[in-house]
Amino acid sequence: MPKVDRRIMKTREAINNAFIQLMSERDFSKITINDISERANINRGTIYLHYTDKFDLLDKCMDEHFGHMLNFCTSTKTGEERLNIFHNLLPMFKYFEENYLLSSSMLSNKGISCFHDKMMRMSINGINELINMGKINQEYNNDVDIQFMASAFVGTVEWWIKNDMPHSPQFMAQQL
C-alpha cells in the first residue's frame, strides 16, 4: 500500500471531523458540501478531489470507522483472549466509547440507516466466524438464529450509545 502524503491525510481528517461535527448538529439530508468545506476551512473543490459527493464521504467515513474498530479490536487480543467472547466484545465497546461523537452522530441521524446496516453485516460475519471456530454452539448455525443474535447485539449497542453509555464497556461486554 503506497504511503499517503501527510497533507492529504490532514485534509481528509479535517473533512471527516467537520462532517462528523455537522452530523451531530443536524440531519444528514440538511448537510451540504458547502457546510463541510466551511467547517473544515477548506475550499469546496478540495472536497471533490477526495470524495464524489456527501454520500461518498459518508460511506468512506463509515468504512474508515469500522476498519479502525476492527484493527483496534483484533490488535489488542492475545491467542487465548480470542477464544473468550468477553475479550471479543470489550475492545469494541471501548472503541465506541472513545469514538462516541461519531457513533452517536451516525446512529441518531435520521435519514441514514447505512451505519446500522454495516454494523449488522459486521455482526453477522462475526457470529458466523465464531460459529465456524467453535466459539458458539454449532446448533446456532442457521440464518434465523444468526439474524436474531446480530439484531440483539446491534440493538443493544445502539441502545447503549443513544442513552449516553449508562454502563461501562466492561459491564456491557460482560452482560452480552
Side-chain angles (χ1 to χ4, degrees):
M1 191 170 197
K3 191 171 181 176
V4 179
D5 186 297
R6 276 193 211 177
R7 294 170 294 181
I8 292 172
M9 288 177 16
K10 285 187 178 208
T11 299
R12 286 184 184 159
E13 185 177 331
I15 292 169
N16 283 329
N17 288 340
F19 181 61
I20 293 164
Q21 289 172 3
L22 287 165
M23 293 256 315
S24 71
E25 297 168 11
R26 56 182 118 154
D27 287 347
F28 175 74
S29 62
K30 306 254 191 272
I31 298 171
T32 66
I33 293 295
N34 280 339
D35 296 332
I36 299 166
S37 67
E38 285 177 20
R39 182 69 60 99
N41 197 25
I42 60 171
N43 187 312
R44 172 187 156 106
T46 304
I47 293 176
Y48 288 115
L49 290 173
H50 300 275
Y51 307 99
T52 55
D53 55 21
K54 72 178 187 177
F55 298 98
D56 184 41
L57 172 57
L58 173 66
D59 196 44
K60 287 181 177 159
C61 186
M62 283 190 298
D63 286 346
E64 185 177 320
H65 174 63
F66 284 119
H68 285 287
M69 183 178 70
L70 286 174
N71 287 338
F72 181 80
C73 292
T74 56
S75 68
T76 58
K77 294 185 289 194
T78 65
E80 279 186 33
E81 289 174 338
R82 288 187 181 129
L83 300 175
N84 183 313
I85 290 180
F86 171 77
H87 290 289
N88 285 311
L89 295 175
L90 181 59
M92 189 177 306
F93 279 105
K94 284 182 177 180
Y95 182 85
F96 282 127
E97 182 182 52
E98 289 175 16
N99 295 277
Y100 175 76
L101 182 61
L102 174 65
S103 304
S104 66
S105 297
M106 294 288 183
L107 286 173
S108 66
N109 204 302
K110 298 170 195 81
I112 59 166
S113 62
C114 47
F115 187 81
H116 171 88
D117 297 343
K118 282 187 186 246
M119 212 158 81
M120 277 296 291
R121 279 194 304 277
M122 261 183 53
S123 298
I124 288 169
N125 290 340
I127 291 167
N128 274 322
E129 186 178 319
L130 291 172
I131 288 171
N132 293 336
M133 295 172 78
K135 293 181 199 174
I136 294 179
N137 193 336
Q138 297 289 331
E139 72 187 53
Y140 295 118
N141 195 358
N142 80 43
D143 293 338
V144 174
D145 292 335
I146 292 169
Q147 186 67 37
F148 174 78
M149 286 189 281
S151 296
F153 172 73
V154 171
T156 302
V157 169
E158 288 178 345
W159 168 85
W160 183 64
I161 292 170
K162 286 180 179 178
N163 286 285
D164 299 322
M165 301 178 175
H167 304 289
S168 71
Q170 292 78 7
F171 177 84
M172 293 303 293
Q174 197 171 38
Q175 292 298 302
L176 287 179

